[in-house]
Amino acid sequence: ARDMVATGNFLKARLYGRPIDAFPLYTWLPVLCSGFQSPTAFPLRLPAVLALWTLAAIAGLFARRLQGPFAGTVATAMILTCVVSFRVGARAQSEILNTLFLNAAWFAWFYWGPERKLWYLGWGIAMACLFLAVLAVGAKAVFFFYFPMLFMRRSLNLPHHLQSPAHICMVFLFAAAVMAWVFLTPNQPFLTWNTTLATAASAPGDGGGYFSHLLHFPWKCLLYLCPWAIFVWSPFCLALHQFEQNSMACRYLRTIIFCHALLFWLLPNTSPLDLLPVFGALAVLVGIHFEIVIRRYQHIFIRAVKAAAWGVVAVSAIGAAAWTGVNNDLFIIEGFSQK
């Protein structure tokens, strides 16, 4: 970003004056945030934080339209308070932009397409968001968007919609925009992206082997989703599907999550952060099912809260007794007792 401001060339990313193969979208945003001045650390990280907040807002709005205000509030809270949110929000990286635009594309396609039957508008907004995602991370955004559509349920009739005039027209405009960017601006990267699919076979492992990866990958995913990990199972519980107000939307989001999760779990040398693009969809599903779970299993949660409260009381009592005993020389704890 500083090199763009210094050279005045905003079409090509540079490092120490030399052109590099980097996607330009995230580099443009710190320049805009700094008013076309040389950006400091704050403008460099601000776009990632704004992208995370925007993702929380659109996920909350989508969940609100599907299930109600409470679901929207929970979806927004999940995105803003997960461990993975603090990690990606504090880093000036383009993956959070890819997550934002992919989720916007998926949500807009479903809302304006199957829900409103405005297919040209649905496909148009989805392709516009996909083009911005391509500017952020390259061609892998196209794979992320279309891969789940190969496994959608018959209720969405995806083969028909993929062959519809609305999709063909918008794909043509999308391809024209990408070709104009790649060929009319010199040396722009498109296929030279660092993705898991391109490097999984050659990247060095962590020494644990493939089966170790299969074992640890799900647990790492749950760790990144804390403290909401205890609710991640609810969208995939068959017993709760009957309470969904919009079952078609929930099946649509579940397919997006399941396809990518299974793929990156089975691929070697992948990271849970590779699943970041489905974070918004997962938050919407958790928001939809949160109230259902609370009402259905409230007796279990009440017992758990009571047990935790009594545990805190017990630990506090033990600590107070130990402190009193040490101060009155009733017993000696090395390093704490008074001499």
Side-chain angles (χ1 to χ4, degrees):
R2 294 188 180 97
D3 285 78
M4 279 187 174
V5 174
T7 61
N9 183 0
F10 297 97
L11 297 179
K12 181 66 177 177
R14 296 173 180 270
L15 183 64
Y16 300 112
R18 297 182 179 181
I20 58 174
D21 288 335
F23 300 102
L25 185 58
Y26 196 95
T27 310
W28 290 340
L29 296 179
V31 175
L32 291 175
C33 293
S34 61
F36 291 91
Q37 304 296 321
S38 181
T40 58
F42 179 74
L44 287 175
R45 300 183 185 276
L46 182 60
V49 177
L50 294 178
L52 185 66
W53 289 352
T54 306
L55 176 63
I58 64 173
L61 290 174
F62 192 63
R64 179 189 178 93
R65 292 185 180 275
L66 294 180
Q67 193 80 7
F70 187 75
T73 302
V74 173
T76 301
M78 178 176 174
I79 290 179
L80 294 179
T81 57
C82 274
V83 172
V84 68
S85 304
F86 291 101
R87 174 160 183 172
V88 301
R91 296 188 176 188
Q93 295 179 346
S94 59
E95 290 298 330
I96 186 60
L97 297 179
N98 180 44
T99 302
L100 169 63
F101 293 126
L102 280 177
N103 282 273
W106 285 324
F107 297 161
W109 180 87
F110 185 86
Y111 179 73
W112 295 108
E115 288 285 299
R116 295 295 186 91
K117 307 302 180 184
L118 300 174
W119 290 104
Y120 277 93
L121 182 60
W123 281 115
I125 297 176
M127 290 297 105
C129 294
L130 187 58
F131 177 70
L132 293 175
V134 168
L135 293 183
V137 297
K140 73 174 182 179
V142 180
F143 168 80
F144 267 104
F145 179 75
Y146 278 104
F147 177 65
M149 294 189 176
L150 301 176
F151 306 95
M152 290 294 175
R153 300 285 292 270
R154 291 183 179 180
S155 57
L156 287 173
N157 199 12
L158 254 299
H160 170 73
H161 295 311
L162 291 175
Q163 301 175 51
S164 65
H167 178 239
I168 294 174
C169 177
M170 295 305 166
V171 165
F172 176 79
L173 295 177
F174 168 77
V178 171
M179 291 178 63
W181 171 252
V182 172
F183 294 108
L184 297 183
T185 55
N187 300 320
Q188 291 296 336
F190 180 66
L191 295 176
T192 56
W193 28 272
N194 182 22
T195 69
T196 303
L197 292 178
T199 60
S202 59
D206 58 0
Y210 180 66
F211 291 103
S212 176
H213 161 77
L214 294 179
L215 178 63
H216 294 154
F217 186 87
W219 295 104
K220 292 179 180 178
C221 292
L222 293 177
L223 179 62
Y224 276 120
L225 292 174
C226 286
W228 296 89
I230 58 175
F231 297 102
V232 170
W233 61 271
S234 59
F236 306 95
C237 177
L238 294 177
L240 302 181
H241 290 182
Q242 58 183 319
F243 302 106
E244 298 169 353
Q245 294 182 12
N246 193 324
S247 58
M248 183 170 63
C250 293
R251 287 196 298 267
Y252 169 69
L253 296 176
R254 273 192 292 266
T255 303
I256 291 174
I257 297 169
F258 182 78
C259 291
H260 286 112
L262 183 62
L263 174 67
F264 285 102
W265 180 45
L266 295 178
L267 285 175
N269 301 320
T270 54
S271 166
L273 293 177
D274 294 324
L275 292 175
L276 188 62
V278 303
F279 185 35
L282 180 62
V284 171
L285 283 178
V286 171
I288 291 173
H289 292 83
F290 184 83
E291 187 175 6
I292 301 173
V293 171
I294 292 298
R295 289 182 176 181
R296 188 176 178 89
Y297 301 103
Q298 59 179 333
H299 60 285
I300 298 177
F301 287 102
I302 291 175
R303 291 176 182 175
V305 170
K306 287 182 178 179
W310 281 112
V312 171
V313 171
V315 172
S316 301
I318 293 173
W323 181 81
T324 303
V326 169
N327 279 274
N328 292 280
D329 295 327
L330 297 178
F331 51 85
I332 297 175
I333 299 179
E334 185 177 354
F336 293 92
S337 300
Q338 297 179 354
K339 297 182 179 179

